């Protein structure tokens, strides 16, 4: 805790007025402010360690007592003797293993560790930090810097748990306290020895603590006494009072198992003497009761046992207390009705009387009542039954669902009263209540209930009845109606009528395209409301838009549903008829004529044809006008629009017959071919019929000459497509396709080259997987078809053949789950290759399939065998650090090499423990000499010539390092802010760029990567160097400076209002202009910097401006200050009007000089040199009080500096009152109001 005293204005006022039990003596005039003493204004803190104040000592203003704060940081010092030091190399103290260990411990625990070497070469260690951190650090230091010893201590096995403590807390505390490791054997381990590991001192401490815990437990004893369970109640006493008294008298803890637990063992724990005393007392009680007591057995109905036991066994305890007899009850889950009473013979009689009294003290009665009446008997929220239970609280009333009985249980008199009251309620209800049951099909239940229960609630309220409709899960059709007899009958009749109506109901689904749903519904549902009002008994359900369903459901009486369906179908037919759409291409230049003045033409066409006509926007490149409506109306509108175009230009329209199958090829990809014809022929329009229409008519519209030209080109193109577009189809099993194509497409390429036809095989997504399409000139297609049919016929002839393969090569074909065999089957028309089973010693391999496929597969197997027999292994030494780069992302580079050269490449296991090459900048130094290690060797297996090719490919992937000469001064610019520049280059060129350490000042940068990438990176780096050098030269040129002298009074006018003038000069001449600071000695100097030519031009511009200002004159006019506001006007409007009228420059008007104090003086400050850290900006002395004199400040009497020989601190002294940061000038206010930007 820390105390903070805050001096508020209120508390200070209390000081001044003499409150807080302090009286101020002396004569002080009432009208004069009271000056407090130094001690009153600044009361001293209490002395440290003061045990308390004396009786006559005044109480401090800071409070009578401040609780001392306990330090959160502690320091521990301990010594490690020389013989116990783990690291004894004294040659490099502070740099060896001890220092490294301490640094690691500091980082892990957060404690501060200091090491020092004593004269005896022992180690002194000082640990500082929070208690928890210090304890953890000390434990680690002892374990890692001090040699460890071990010892064992033997204590009784039952004491081990006390050493461990709750959740192991005691053991953890002990280990931290002694800086040792304590190993306690597991409970199932018979050993009693505890092993302690640590320093000799720590072991001794831990050993002592463990023996103390054991000694403490030795003083305690545990006794287990097995006595017959039947005598436990006598030992415990009624309500456990006897055993509690025994525990208090002896001081021992006695644990007796509860009656429900089938154990007879009583446990006594505590001090040995107390345990022995309690044991003797218990034995005495047991022996006495065993000698004196006898038993009797009685039979009592099982249902009455609970009354004898009583709530929580209280009745049994009462019998034991009053008679001294124990009543033994059979378990509740037992069928036995025998009760045993155990006690002294003379007391058994009274106890038996009490048992019978208790058994008969409660009466159980059943009242017959129809099950449907139960809830009415209970009443709303249990009101009726609640009144009975309040009057007769000891009566328990139980209703059983589905049974026509009510159980009453309690004292005889009260039960009889409750029975009478309930019977009266039943009699009354039977007179004025009735019920009936109706079987209603479950599918109608939710309609009976209605939306949010509307229907059923109406019936309940109208007829004052209760209607119970079963839940869907009950799968029952029984509906029960209860209430007033007349209401029940009326409700029943209405429910039956509703069901009959629903049975007559019909549901019909209409298929309506979803695009028409919104139109049928209308805005805010207006149109569908009209339909529903016309057919009120029909429910119309539209699907949710998200379902994208076309089904509209109608439900209601059969006749009404049919009428509604016909009505809706008529609406839908009208919508379909009116949704016909036509697109008419009209030259863009004629769109405005079709629209007409003010839209007159288009409006007239729309009204007369009853169509919707949409034109493209002006900035659109489309020339299509879309007409929507009835088909006949759309065609009429189209004719009228085309007529307008024909009147305006010599437009001709012609039709060309071209087979529909050629249309797509004539249009071309994304319409490229037909668009080229339209553009070539002066923008004519060529219109193809919609796909699937089956029409061969192509319409060409445009200027007469261009239409003929377009027709000629289109027919010519169609003829070419007709000749080259002959198609034939061929059926072949999908497994033959790969063989027909051949390895790398070799077979199919030969057919194409010979015939010139294009052969298209089905893709995996095609439905017709057996269909092969041949496209081209008819002659070429026929020839290709003939060749392919011949190949397919040969493939259909299945043959079986065999070949001999050396057993040692079998594994290559069948390994990896027969991958090679699967590839052979896919590549050679599904040929089946069977190798003999392992262990048969057979070399015969069977091939079955088409003859050509079998021969090709045999040839391929022979090639594979030759490859295996001629296989060699080549080793390539590449530093392990490059292996990841060679593999590429997900091994893509290696996979490419293995596929291309048909070799196997094996990389060695990583050896992270191998000695790493020297590093600089966190990267491996390029100058490090490469010495091959086992982990650097990559093995390539395959044919000798292919292995060499693969080796060359691998070596080509090994990064190389090139030196690029770059001046040391440019390195930081190449690296960029936070390394962004160099990182960007490394990502762009996929290389690693190594920049030497700054202190080395080397003019070289190393680039590491693939050869091509390194070359590109070198060029990029040299380009960047050129850019930086150009920037340096440009900076040198821009650093030209000129100083000119200008009278300070002209500075504000050179700057201009809000810096407008000076900003324009800077912008025009691209220079920097610096005005002097207020504190500078030479207030007339202006510094201009930039390119030499620009600086000269800017200087001349300023000189011209100064010359103009010097030619001007100024005159002062003295006016009454009260008129100033009127002359200035709102926001200076009036004064500006005067200035414009008389053509007076604001530089010479008195108004301007006022404005300068507000705006331009502030603007001027922005263009001054930045103020020095300790200069200007007001004095450090004090503040003005507004009257020209210094303020009094805060005055106190009897201050220390008023004593003889002392002096008051100098407020202007930086030593007495040091500055915290830069001083902030007070913000000036202006008569013109707040500054607005």
């Amino acid at each position: 805790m820390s105390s903070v005293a805050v001096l508020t204005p209120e508390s200070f006022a209390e000081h001044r007025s003499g409150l807080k039990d302090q009286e101020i003596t002396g004569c002080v005039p009432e009208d004069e402010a009271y000056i407090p003493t130094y001690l009153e204004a600044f009361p001293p803190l209490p002395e440290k360690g003061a045990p308390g104040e004396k009786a006559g000592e005044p109480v401090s203003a800071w409070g009578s007592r401040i609780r001392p704060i306990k330090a959160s940081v502690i320091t521990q010092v301990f010594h490690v003797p020389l013989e116990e030091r783990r690291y004894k190399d004294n040659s490099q103290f502070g740099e060896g293993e001890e220092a490294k260990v301490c640094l690691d411990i500091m980082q892990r625990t957060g404690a501060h560790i200091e090491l020092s070497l004593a004269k005896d070469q022992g180690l002194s260690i000082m640990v500082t930090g929070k208690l928890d951190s210090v304890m953890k650090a000390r434990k680690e230091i002892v374990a890692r810097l001090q040699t460890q010893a071990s010892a064992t201590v033997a204590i009784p096995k039952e004491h081990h748990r006390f050493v461990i403590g709750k959740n192991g807390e005691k053991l953890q505390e002990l280990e931290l306290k002694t800086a040792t490791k304590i190993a306690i054997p597991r409970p199932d381990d018979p050993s009693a020895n505890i092993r302690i590991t640590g320093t000799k001192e720590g072991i001794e401490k831990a050993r002592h603590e463990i023996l103390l815990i054991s000694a403490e437990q030795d003083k305690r004893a545990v006794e287990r006494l097995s006595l017959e369970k039947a005598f436990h109640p006598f030992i415990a006493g009624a309500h456990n009072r006897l055993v509690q008294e025994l525990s208090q008298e002896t001081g021992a803890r006695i644990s007796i198992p509860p009656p429900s637990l089938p154990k007879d063992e009583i446990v006594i724990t505590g001090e040995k003497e107390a345990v022995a005393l309690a044991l003797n007392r218990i034995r005495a009680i047991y022996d006495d009761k065993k000698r004196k007591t006898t038993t009797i057995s009685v039979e009592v109905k099982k249902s009455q046992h609970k009354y004898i036991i009583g709530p929580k066994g209280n009745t049994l305890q009462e019998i034991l207390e009053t008679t001294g007899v124990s009543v033994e009850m059979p378990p509740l889950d037992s069928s036995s009705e025998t009760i045993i009473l155990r006690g002294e013979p003379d007391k058994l009689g009274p106890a038996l009387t009490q048992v019978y009294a208790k058994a008969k003290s409660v009466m159980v009665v059943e009242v017959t009542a129809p099950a449907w009446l139960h809830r009415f008997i209970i009443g709303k929220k249990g009101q009726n039954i609640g009144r009975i239970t309040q009057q007769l609280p000891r009566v328990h009333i139980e209703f059983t669902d589905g049974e026509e009985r009510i159980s009453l249980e309690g004292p005889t008199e009260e039960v009889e009263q409750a029975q009478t009251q309930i019977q009266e309620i039943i009699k009354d209800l039977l007179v004025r209540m009735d019920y009936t049951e109706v079987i209603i099909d479950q599918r109608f239940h939710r309609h009976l209930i209605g939306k949010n229960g509307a229907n059923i609630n109406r019936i309940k309220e109208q007829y004052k009845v209760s209607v119970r409709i079963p839940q869907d899960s009950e799968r029952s059709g029984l509906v029960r109606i209860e209430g007033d007899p007349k209401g029940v009958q009326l409700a029943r009749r209405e429910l039956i009528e509703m069901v009959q109506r629903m049975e007559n109901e019909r549901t019909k689904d209409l298929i309506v395209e979803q695009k028409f749903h919104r139109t049928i519904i209308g805005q805010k549902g207006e149109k569908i409301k009209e339909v529903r009002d016309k057919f009120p008994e029909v429910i119309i359900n539209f699907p949710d838009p998200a379902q994208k369903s076309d089904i509209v459901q109608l439900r209601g009486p059969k006749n009404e549903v049919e009428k509604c369906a016909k009505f809706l179908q008529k609406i839908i037919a009208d919508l379909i008829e009116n949704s016909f759409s036509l697109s008419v291409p009209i030259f863009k230049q004629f769109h405005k004529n079709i629209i007409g003045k003010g839209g007159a033409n288009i409006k007239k066409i729309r009204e007369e044809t009853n169509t919707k006509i949409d034109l493209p926007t002006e900035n659109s490149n489309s020339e299509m006008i879309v007409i929507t409506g009835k088909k006949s109306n759309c065609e009429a509108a189209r004719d009228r629009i085309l007529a307008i175009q024909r009147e305006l230009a010599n437009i001709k329209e012609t039709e060309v017959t071209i087979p529909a199958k050629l249309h797509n090829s004539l249009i071309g990809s994304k319409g490229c071919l037909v668009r080229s014809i339209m553009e070539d022929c002066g923008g004519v329009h060529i219109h193809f019929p919609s796909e699937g229409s089956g029409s061969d008519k192509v319409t060409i519209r445009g200027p007469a000459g261009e239409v003929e030209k377009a027709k000629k080109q289109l027919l010519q193109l169609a003829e070419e497509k007709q000749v080259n577009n002959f198609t034939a189809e061929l059926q072949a099993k999908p497994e033959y396709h790969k063989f027909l194509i051949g390895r790398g497409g070799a077979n199919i390429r030969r057919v194409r080259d010979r015939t010139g036809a294009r052969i298209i095989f089905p893709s995996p997504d095609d439905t017709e997987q057996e269909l092969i399409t041949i496209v081209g000139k008819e002659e070429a297609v026929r020839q290709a078809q003939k060749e392919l049919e011949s190949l397919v016929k040969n493939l259909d002839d299945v043959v079986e053949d065999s070949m001999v393969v050396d057993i040692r090569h079998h594994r290559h074909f069948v390994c990896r789950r027969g991958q090679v065999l699967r590839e052979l089957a896919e590549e050679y028309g599904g040929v089946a290759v069977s190798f003999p089973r392992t262990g048969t010693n057979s070399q015969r391999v069977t091939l079955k399939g088409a003859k050509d496929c079998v021969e090709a597969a045999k040839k391929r197997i022979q090639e594979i065998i030759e490859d295996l027999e001629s296989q060699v292994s080549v080793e390539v030494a590449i530093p392990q650090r490059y292996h990841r780069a060679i593999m590429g992302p997900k091994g893509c580079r290696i996979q490419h090499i293995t596929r291309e050269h048909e070799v196997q490449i094996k990389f060695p296991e990583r050896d992270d423990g191998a000695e790493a090459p020297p590093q600089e900048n966190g990267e491996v130094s390029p100058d490090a000499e490469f010495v091959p290690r086992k982990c650097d060797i990559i093995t390539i297996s395959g044919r000798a010539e292919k292995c060499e090719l693969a080796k060359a490919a691998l070596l080509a992937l090994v990064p190389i390092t090139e030196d690029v000469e770059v001046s040391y001064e440019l390195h930081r610019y190449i690296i960029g802010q936070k390394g962004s520049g160099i990182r960007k280059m490394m990502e762009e060129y996929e290389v690693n760029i190594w920049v030497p350490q700054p202190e080395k000042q080397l003019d070289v940068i190393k680039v590491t990567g693939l050869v091509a990438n390194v070359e590109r990176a070198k060029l990029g780096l040299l380009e960047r160097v050129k850019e930086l050098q150009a920037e340096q030269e440009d900076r040198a040129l821009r650093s030209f400076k000129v100083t000119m002298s200008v009278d300070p009074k002209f500075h504000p006018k050179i700057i201009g209002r809000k810096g407008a003038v000076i900003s324009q000069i800077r912008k025009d001449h691209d220079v920097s202009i610096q005005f002097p600071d207020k504190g500078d000695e030479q207030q007339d100097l202006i510094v201009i910097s930039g390119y030499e030519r620009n600086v000269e031009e800017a200087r001349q511009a300023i000189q011209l401006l100064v010359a103009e200002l010097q030619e001007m004159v100024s005159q002062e006019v003295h006016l009454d200050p009260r008129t100033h506001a009127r002359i200035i006007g709102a926001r200076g409007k009036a004064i500006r009007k005067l200035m414009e009228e008389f053509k007076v420059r604001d530089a010479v008007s008195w108004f301007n000089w006022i404005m300068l104090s507000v705006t331009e003086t502030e603007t001027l400050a922005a263009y001054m040199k930045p103020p020095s850290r300790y200069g200007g900006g007001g004095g450090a002395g004090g503040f003005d009080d507004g009257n020209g004199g210094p303020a009094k400040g805060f005055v106190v009497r009897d201050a220390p500096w008023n004593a003889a020989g002392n002096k008051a601190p100098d407020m202007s002294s930086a030593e007495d009152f040091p500055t915290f940061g830069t001083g902030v000038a007070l913000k000036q206010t202006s008569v013109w109001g707040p500054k607005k930007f």
Side-chain angles (χ1 to χ4, degrees), residues 572-593:
I572 294 159
D574 290 343
L575 285 172
I576 292 169
E577 189 180 359
N578 291 322
S579 64
F580 181 78
S581 181
L582 272 178
S583 294
V584 186
I586 300 294
F587 291 102
K588 194 79 176 177
Q589 63 265 33
F590 301 134
H591 282 199
K592 61 182 179 180
N593 304 96

Side-chain angles (χ1 to χ4, degrees), residues 869-895:
E869 287 177 345
S870 61
Q871 197 172 68
V872 295
S873 292
V874 176
E875 292 184 346
V876 188
I878 297 174
Q880 188 182 8
R881 63 179 180 271
Y882 297 137
H883 288 187
R884 191 184 295 274
I886 290 168
M887 288 178 187
K890 297 182 180 178
C892 62
R893 291 174 182 165
I894 285 299
Q895 289 169 12

Side-chain angles (χ1 to χ4, degrees), residues 1048 1050-1064 1066 1073-1078 1152 1154-1171 1227-1228 1230 1235-1237:
F1050 297 129
H1051 287 191
K1053 299 325 303 168
I1054 295 169
I1055 292 169
R1057 184 172 178 78
K1058 294 185 181 180
V1061 177
I1062 200 68
S1063 295
Q1064 191 61 42
R1066 286 173 170 168
I1073 303 172
Q1074 191 72 47
F1075 285 82
D1077 186 24
K1078 283 184 180 178
N1152 179 66
I1154 296 170
M1155 293 292 287
L1156 274 175
S1157 68
V1158 183
T1159 57
E1160 292 182 352
T1161 307
E1162 294 175 359
T1163 308
L1164 178 62
Y1167 291 91
M1168 300 298 179
K1169 292 178 181 175
K1227 190 172 180 181
Q1228 295 182 351
S1230 168
K1235 217 171 128 183
K1236 295 185 180 178
F1237 294 95

Side-chain angles (χ1 to χ4, degrees), residues 32-33 47 87 114 338 363-364 430 447 541 558 669 779 829 841 863 882 1024 1115 1120 1128 1190 1231:
E32 201 172 308
E47 290 295 327
Y87 306 103
E114 290 184 15
T338 305
M363 178 182 181
V364 178
L430 286 171
H447 302 298
N541 290 323
K558 185 177 179 181
S669 177
E779 186 183 346
N841 294 324
E863 287 175 5
Y882 297 137
R1024 179 65 180 146
Q1115 184 178 348
D1120 190 329
I1128 293 168
V1231 295

Side-chain angles (χ1 to χ4, degrees), residues 666-667 671-681 713 717:
L666 289 175
I667 292 167
C672 62
L673 293 178
V674 76
R675 199 182 303 117
S676 67
I677 295 173
M678 289 193 292
E679 289 171 0
D680 189 41
C681 300
Q713 286 192 20
L717 185 63

Side-chain angles (χ1 to χ4, degrees), residues 720-897:
E720 289 176 10
K721 294 290 181 183
Q722 181 80 25
V723 171
N724 294 321
N725 207 44
F726 186 79
T727 305
E729 292 178 348
L730 180 71
Q731 296 283 339
K733 291 179 183 177
E735 56 265 30
Y736 295 163
H737 290 187
K738 275 203 173 184
F739 179 73
L740 292 173
I741 294 166
R743 287 191 77 186
N747 296 348
I748 208 68
R749 200 179 298 115
R750 280 198 296 272
V751 176
R752 283 175 182 168
D753 293 344
R754 281 199 300 271
T755 63
R758 190 157 62 95
I759 301 163
I760 304 166
F761 285 85
S763 67
D765 300 329
D766 289 342
T767 53
E768 290 288 339
Q769 286 293 308
E770 294 188 357
L771 194 66
I772 301 171
T773 308
I774 310 166
V775 182
K777 291 182 179 180
E778 185 175 1
E779 186 183 346
V781 168
R782 297 295 183 196
Q783 187 181 348
Q785 185 180 12
K786 189 177 179 181
E787 288 192 22
L788 286 175
E789 283 175 347
S790 175
L791 286 170
V792 171
K793 189 177 180 182
N794 291 337
L795 291 173
D796 285 335
D797 297 333
V798 177
V799 296
E800 187 172 330
D801 199 353
S802 63
M803 64 183 296
V804 175
V805 177
D806 197 321
I807 292 174
R808 58 196 172 95
H809 299 315
H810 287 195
R811 187 175 179 279
H812 173 78
F813 289 93
V814 298
C815 68
R816 297 195 300 271
R817 297 182 182 177
Q819 185 178 344
V820 177
L821 296 180
R822 283 201 304 275
E823 289 172 359
L824 285 169
E826 287 175 8
E827 195 170 340
Y828 299 105
V831 65
V833 183
S834 302
F835 277 77
R837 289 183 177 277
T838 308
T840 57
N841 294 324
S842 173
Q843 296 184 351
R844 185 167 297 280
V845 176
T846 306
L847 295 90
K848 187 177 181 181
K851 185 178 179 181
D852 292 345
C853 293
V854 168
E855 290 301 323
K858 282 174 68 177
K859 187 177 178 183
R860 177 61 186 146
I861 291 170
Q862 201 60 47
E863 287 175 5
I864 293 170
I865 293 166
E866 287 175 9
D867 286 345
L868 292 171
E869 287 177 345
S870 61
Q871 197 172 68
V872 295
S873 292
V874 176
E875 292 184 346
V876 188
I878 297 174
Q880 188 182 8
R881 63 179 180 271
Y882 297 137
H883 288 187
R884 191 184 295 274
I886 290 168
M887 288 178 187
K890 297 182 180 178
C892 62
R893 291 174 182 165
I894 285 299
Q895 289 169 12
H896 176 71
I897 293 171

